[in-house]
């Protein structure tokens, strides 16, 4: 029950803690607990407090929160500087999860992720008094740096490999590749050719493993892996090579950009998609539904990755146990670029 209307607050001044308490019908102490120690507040009460926060546009005072909780309310993120859809979407999802939980984000964007650059970034972020750090580490060199990590603050890794001393959150790349490959095999294709991403990318290698394991499990021929660089240009160049082989009827590209290049190469060679060759991508970028034909692909839930990474970090801050490896399930999105294998 609300004790006070929002109209009772002068519109000229920003909302304070007492305004939120009045609107939510709780004490100021309860508001403070709901924002800074939510596990100590009933779910229904916290929901009322958050609704009041949104309605009033209330922003907690960072200095006051640090005095109460011992935390700055700032999260550090270390990521590679790249325009690629996957890492950019992951970074955005982490920032969004933090913002929804009243955290601000300090980002260290690096041209190279290795042991030295990661350690230097952590030192800089610690000097900014961040509460914890999420490291987006899609390269093998970054995973190697994490294996030797020494940090005084909690760290969570995203898109990193296995066997690390910190919790890892990532999309199950092997499962996504397996679903793409099985989809093509179920359509009657004898085998599936794979255009993989660079060998130093953990995601690319996970997709290769899922593709190969699925072919081997069904006793299908395993063609040679063709490596691209995630670009449409590399997909086009490799696609021209495959288009000359009449035995090629199914192609699984490591991402949607390479799949786009493959579609052009096949069209130029007079190979129809999907009548002659079926094509599957990975990522489900916003444009993939508007390729011609619309692309069958594997969707990664980046929002879920960011949400899990943030909450695993909160668990670490609170001293609660957390999963050492959290896999987010991908989803196969079937569109018009795949069809029954030609006779």
């Amino acid at each position: 029950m609300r004790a006070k209307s929002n109209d009772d607050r002068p519109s000229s001044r920003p909302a304070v803690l007492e305004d939120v308490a009045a609107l939510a019908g709780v004490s100021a102490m309860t508001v403070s607990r709901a924002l800074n120690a939510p596990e100590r507040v009933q779910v229904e009460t916290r929901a009322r407090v958050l609704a009041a926060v949104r309605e009033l546009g209330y922003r907690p005072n960072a200095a006051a929160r640090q005095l109460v909780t011992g935390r700055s309310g700032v999260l550090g993120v270390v990521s590679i500087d790249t325009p690629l859809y996957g890492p950019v979407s992951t970074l955005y999802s982490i920032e969004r999860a933090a913002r929804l939980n009243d955290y601000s984000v300090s980002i260290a964007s690096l041209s190279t992720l290795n042991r030295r650059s990661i350690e230097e970034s952590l030192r800089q972020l610690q000097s900014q008094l961040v509460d914890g750090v999420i490291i987006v580490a899609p390269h093998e060199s970054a995973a190697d740096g994490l294996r030797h990590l020494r940090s005084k603050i909690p760290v969570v890794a995203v898109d990193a490999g296995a066997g690390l001393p910190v919790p890892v959150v990532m999309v199950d790349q092997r499962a996504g590749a397996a679903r793409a490959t099985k989809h093509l095999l179920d359509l009657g294709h004898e085998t599936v050719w794979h255009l993989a991403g660079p060998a130093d990318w953990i995601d690319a290698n996970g997709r290769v493993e899922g593709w190969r394991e699925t072919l081997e499990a069904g006793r299908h021929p395993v063609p040679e892996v063709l490596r691209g660089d995630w670009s449409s240009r590399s997909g086009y160049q490799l696609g021209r090579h495959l288009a000359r082989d009449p035995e090629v009827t199914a192609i699984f590209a490591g991402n949607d950009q390479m799949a786009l290049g493959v579609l052009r190469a096949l069209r130029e060679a007079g190979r129809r998609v999907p009548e002659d060759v079926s094509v599957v991508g990975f990522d489900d970028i916003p444009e993939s539904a508007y390729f011609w034909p619309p692309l069958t692909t594997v969707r990664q839930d980046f929002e879920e990755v960011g949400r899990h990474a943030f909450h695993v970090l909160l668990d670490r801050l609170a001293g609660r146990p957390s999963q050492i490896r959290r896999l987010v399930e991908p989803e196969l999105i079937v569109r018009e670029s795949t069809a029954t294998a030609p006779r």
Side-chain angles (χ1 to χ4, degrees), residues 118 130 173 189 267 303 338:
I118 289 173
V130 299
Q173 305 294 335
H189 296 277
R267 179 177 291 272
E303 286 290 321
T338 53

Side-chain angles (χ1 to χ4, degrees), residues 75-82 84-95 105-114 117-118 121-122 125 133-143 146 149 155-161 164 166-171 201-203 302 305-306 309-310:
L75 168 71
V77 178
V78 178
S79 181
I80 189 170
D81 185 9
T82 176
L84 289 172
Y85 178 75
V88 170
S89 299
T90 299
L91 183 60
Y92 174 76
S93 72
I94 294 168
E95 187 177 19
V105 175
S106 180
I107 298 174
S109 186
L110 308 177
S111 58
T112 303
L113 279 176
N114 52 38
S117 64
I118 289 173
S121 295
L122 282 175
L125 289 169
V133 176
I134 295 177
I135 301 177
V136 183
H139 287 169
E140 295 287 356
S141 59
L146 289 171
L149 187 66
V155 171
V156 173
V158 172
D159 289 342
L164 300 179
V166 298
V168 174
V169 179
M170 64 186 299
V171 172
W201 281 72
I202 293 169
D203 286 356
F302 295 110
V305 170
F310 178 79

Side-chain angles (χ1 to χ4, degrees), residues 201-224:
W201 281 72
I202 293 169
D203 286 356
N205 293 331
R207 292 168 201 175
V208 170
E209 291 171 6
W211 162 79
R212 179 180 287 117
E213 289 168 358
T214 305
L215 290 178
E216 291 175 346
R219 300 184 181 277
H220 294 273
V222 182
E224 177 187 1

Side-chain angles (χ1 to χ4, degrees), residues 113-130:
L113 279 176
N114 52 38
R115 182 176 178 180
R116 183 175 180 178
S117 64
I118 289 173
E119 288 177 348
E120 177 60 28
S121 295
L122 282 175
R123 281 194 293 270
Q124 292 178 358
L125 289 169
Q126 283 180 257
S127 69
Q128 299 174 30
L129 302 179
V130 299

Side-chain angles (χ1 to χ4, degrees), residues 106-297:
S106 180
I107 298 174
S109 186
L110 308 177
S111 58
T112 303
L113 279 176
N114 52 38
R115 182 176 178 180
R116 183 175 180 178
S117 64
I118 289 173
E119 288 177 348
E120 177 60 28
S121 295
L122 282 175
R123 281 194 293 270
Q124 292 178 358
L125 289 169
Q126 283 180 257
S127 69
Q128 299 174 30
L129 302 179
V130 299
D131 293 331
V133 176
I134 295 177
I135 301 177
V136 183
H139 287 169
E140 295 287 356
S141 59
D144 183 63
L146 289 171
R147 289 187 185 97
H148 303 91
L149 187 66
R150 297 291 182 271
S151 176
K152 296 180 181 179
I153 57 176
V155 171
V156 173
V158 172
D159 289 342
L164 300 179
V166 298
V168 174
V169 179
M170 64 186 299
V171 172
D172 192 338
Q173 305 294 335
R174 291 170 66 175
R179 286 170 188 161
T181 306
K182 186 176 185 302
H183 169 66
L184 292 166
L185 295 177
D186 288 346
L187 290 171
H189 296 277
E190 179 61 24
T191 190
V192 178
W193 276 257
H194 182 41
L195 308 188
D200 63 335
W201 281 72
I202 293 169
D203 286 356
N205 293 331
R207 292 168 201 175
V208 170
E209 291 171 6
W211 162 79
R212 179 180 287 117
E213 289 168 358
T214 305
L215 290 178
E216 291 175 346
R219 300 184 181 277
H220 294 273
V222 182
E224 177 187 1
V225 174
L226 302 177
R227 291 278 183 180
D229 62 6
W230 298 129
S231 71
S232 297
R233 178 186 291 274
S234 70
Y236 173 71
Q237 292 169 341
L238 295 171
R240 291 182 65 187
H241 168 72
L242 292 179
R244 292 193 293 267
D245 186 348
E247 296 297 316
V248 174
T249 65
I251 299 173
F252 166 39
N255 71 345
D256 291 349
Q257 284 88 350
M258 287 200 293
L260 177 61
V262 169
L263 291 175
R264 175 177 171 177
L266 291 170
R267 179 177 291 272
E268 288 182 353
R271 305 288 301 278
R272 299 169 301 165
V273 177
E275 293 86 353
D276 301 323
V277 183
S278 290
V279 178
V280 177
F282 207 104
D283 281 341
D284 193 29
I285 63 175
E287 297 83 6
S288 64
Y290 301 95
F291 289 0
W292 188 255
L295 184 66
T296 294
T297 185

